[in-house]
């Protein structure tokens, strides 16, 4: 079974307007309402790739019932823990004339120690040997930066395979616990405190620590895949799309799809990139079209370094 964990779930509202003007009334059109957060988006993308998962995490507040109903309507299986605080509402405004996107994201709820313990207990009771757990996204207020590290240690004891996609201190401490798979962008890789200066050496050092495979993205620039025997690169295909939210999460879904299906490393990399590119063509994060994924995959050339 595959589980995704979203500790800072949100309701995403996407608006379109011709041009934003200060100190004036701006007319807009609501184009999309969806439940987001990296783990949720990954579950959604996995569903479109034909892989079942269950989304875990926290949910609470005014929009709790609405969030659960929306996810159920999409067919996304969930077991979200109810919290005292309110799940955040994030607003994206697409400015068509200037091809800009303005994002307004709430801070989100503060998670209590009791709610954190309930989350740890849920993971222990649900996941077992052979299962996969995706740890993705930011940590909400009140949670220790060691949270992902603690979860990875639990998973290693129970032979649960972990894909980590985090940032800041949560990423640093998570890496120290040695996840099985790591999804990271180039800026995050360069900011990790390692003794190696160049990118190939950094990848080799992380693989040497026990991580099985690493996927590194850099927006529209080349992506890298590293494992014990491979260091590969590929450039994403050019896609005319405005909806960048969720592209990294769709990359993670493609990465995991390739791992689960035991694809060769070159196919894992091209599948992950194609999923991220396909996300640009949809206004709901992770709602990727498999036809587009296959089309885009054919445009991707993978080179061995």
């Amino acid at each position: 079974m595959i589980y995704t964990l979203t500790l800072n779930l949100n309701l995403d509202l996407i608006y379109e307007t011709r041009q934003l003007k200060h100190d004036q009334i701006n007319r807009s059109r609501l184009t999309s309402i969806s439940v987001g957060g990296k783990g949720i988006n990954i579950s959604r993308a996995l569903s479109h790739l034909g892989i079942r998962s269950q989304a875990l995490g926290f949910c609470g507040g005014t929009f709790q019932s609405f969030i659960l109903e929306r996810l159920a309507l999409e067919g996304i299986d969930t077991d979200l823990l109810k919290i005292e605080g309110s799940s955040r509402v994030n607003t994206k405004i697409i400015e068509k004339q200037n091809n800009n996107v303005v994002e307004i994201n709430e801070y989100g709820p503060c998670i209590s120690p009791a709610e954190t313990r309930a989350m740890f207990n849920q993971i222990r009771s649900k996941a077992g040997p052979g299962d996969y757990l995706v740890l993705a996204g930011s940590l909400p207020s009140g949670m220790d930066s060691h949270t992902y590290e603690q979860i990875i240690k639990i998973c290693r004891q129970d032979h649960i395979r972990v894909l980590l996609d985090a940032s800041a201190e949560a990423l640093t401490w998570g890496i120290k616990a040695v996840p099985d798979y790591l999804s990271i962008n180039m800026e995050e890789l360069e900011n990790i405190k390692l003794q190696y200066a160049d990118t190939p050496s950094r990848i080799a050092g992380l693989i040497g620590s026990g991580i099985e495979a690493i996927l590194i993205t850099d927006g529209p620039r080349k992506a890298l895949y590293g494992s014990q025997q491979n260091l590969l690169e590929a450039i994403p295909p050019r896609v005319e799309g405005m909806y960048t939210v969720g592209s990294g999460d769709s990359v993670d879904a493609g990465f995991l799809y390739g791992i689960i299906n035991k694809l060769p490393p070159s196919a894992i990399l091209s599948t992950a990139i194609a999923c991220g590119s396909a996300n640009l063509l949809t206004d709901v994060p992770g709602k990727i079209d498999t036809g587009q994924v296959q089309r885009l995959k054919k445009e991707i050339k993978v080179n061995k370094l």
Side-chain angles (χ1 to χ4, degrees):
M1 182 62 177
I2 300 168
Y3 299 94
T4 63
L5 183 66
T6 308
L7 298 177
N8 217 355
L9 177 149
N10 54 268
L11 188 62
D12 275 328
L13 308 178
I14 299 180
Y15 293 88
E16 283 188 0
T17 187
R18 182 174 176 274
Q19 183 182 19
L20 282 176
K21 298 178 181 179
H22 295 283
D23 301 319
Q24 296 185 38
I25 294 174
N26 289 276
R27 302 295 181 185
S28 64
R29 180 170 63 92
L30 179 63
T31 61
S32 171
I33 301 176
S34 62
V35 183
K38 291 185 73 66
I40 295 292
N41 296 340
I42 292 167
S43 278
R44 182 180 291 116
L46 285 172
S47 176
H48 284 273
L49 291 171
I51 295 181
R52 180 174 173 265
S53 68
Q54 186 176 63
L56 309 178
F58 298 123
C59 185
T62 304
F63 298 105
Q64 180 185 11
S65 296
F66 180 77
I67 287 169
L68 295 175
E69 289 171 5
R70 295 287 297 196
L71 292 171
L73 284 172
E74 288 190 68
I76 297 176
D77 184 20
T78 65
D79 190 2
L80 301 174
L81 296 171
K82 183 177 180 180
I83 55 172
E84 289 297 320
S86 294
S87 296
R88 57 186 179 156
V89 178
N90 293 344
T91 304
K92 278 77 174 172
I93 305 172
I94 297 172
E95 192 179 17
K96 302 290 285 186
Q97 180 172 299
N98 298 318
N99 208 32
N100 290 330
V101 178
V102 177
E103 297 191 35
I104 304 170
N105 295 344
E106 290 187 356
Y107 286 109
C110 181
I111 303 301
S112 71
E115 290 165 342
T116 299
R117 287 194 297 272
M119 179 267 297
F120 281 126
N121 290 334
Q122 184 188 48
I123 291 172
R124 289 189 182 97
S125 65
K126 277 187 170 290
D131 289 338
Y132 291 81
L133 176 63
V134 182
L135 304 178
S138 61
L139 300 178
S141 175
M143 295 200 85
D144 191 279
S145 60
H146 292 262
T147 298
Y148 283 154
E149 178 190 18
Q150 293 173 279
I151 294 172
I152 293 168
K153 288 179 178 178
I154 291 170
C155 289
R156 293 189 72 83
Q157 292 173 353
D158 295 339
H159 305 287
I160 301 159
R161 305 182 78 76
V162 176
L163 168 60
L164 175 67
D165 181 353
S167 59
E169 289 188 11
L171 171 64
T172 301
W173 291 113
I175 286 174
K176 289 182 181 294
V178 191
D180 298 277
Y181 312 105
L182 178 64
S183 179
I184 191 170
N185 65 44
M186 187 61 72
E187 182 180 0
E188 290 165 344
L189 180 68
E190 292 173 350
N191 287 335
I192 296 174
K193 293 180 180 178
L194 295 171
Q195 60 183 352
Y196 313 104
D198 62 286
T199 297
S201 297
R202 282 175 170 266
I203 295 171
L206 290 168
I207 294 295
S209 73
I211 298 173
E212 289 187 26
I214 303 173
L215 186 65
I216 303 108
T217 55
D218 194 17
R221 293 165 289 278
K222 69 180 179 181
L224 301 173
Y225 172 91
S227 64
Q228 193 69 44
Q229 304 295 329
N230 298 276
L231 182 56
L232 310 173
E233 69 170 6
I235 297 177
R238 183 176 178 82
V239 175
E240 296 296 333
M242 283 292 297
Y243 300 101
T244 58
V245 178
S247 286
D249 310 329
S250 296
V251 166
D252 289 347
F255 186 19
L256 193 55
Y257 175 92
I259 292 166
I260 291 169
N261 286 283
K262 296 181 170 53
L263 299 182
S266 60
I268 293 176
L269 178 55
S270 61
T271 300
I273 293 175
C275 288
S277 299
N279 185 84
L280 295 169
L281 303 172
T282 177
D283 60 355
V284 177
K287 192 179 179 181
I288 53 178
D289 181 277
T290 53
Q292 294 286 7
V293 171
Q294 293 305 316
R295 177 183 67 82
L296 292 165
K297 190 174 177 180
K298 293 175 182 177
E299 300 178 17
I300 299 169
K301 183 180 179 181
V302 177
N303 299 312
K304 191 174 181 65
L305 296 177

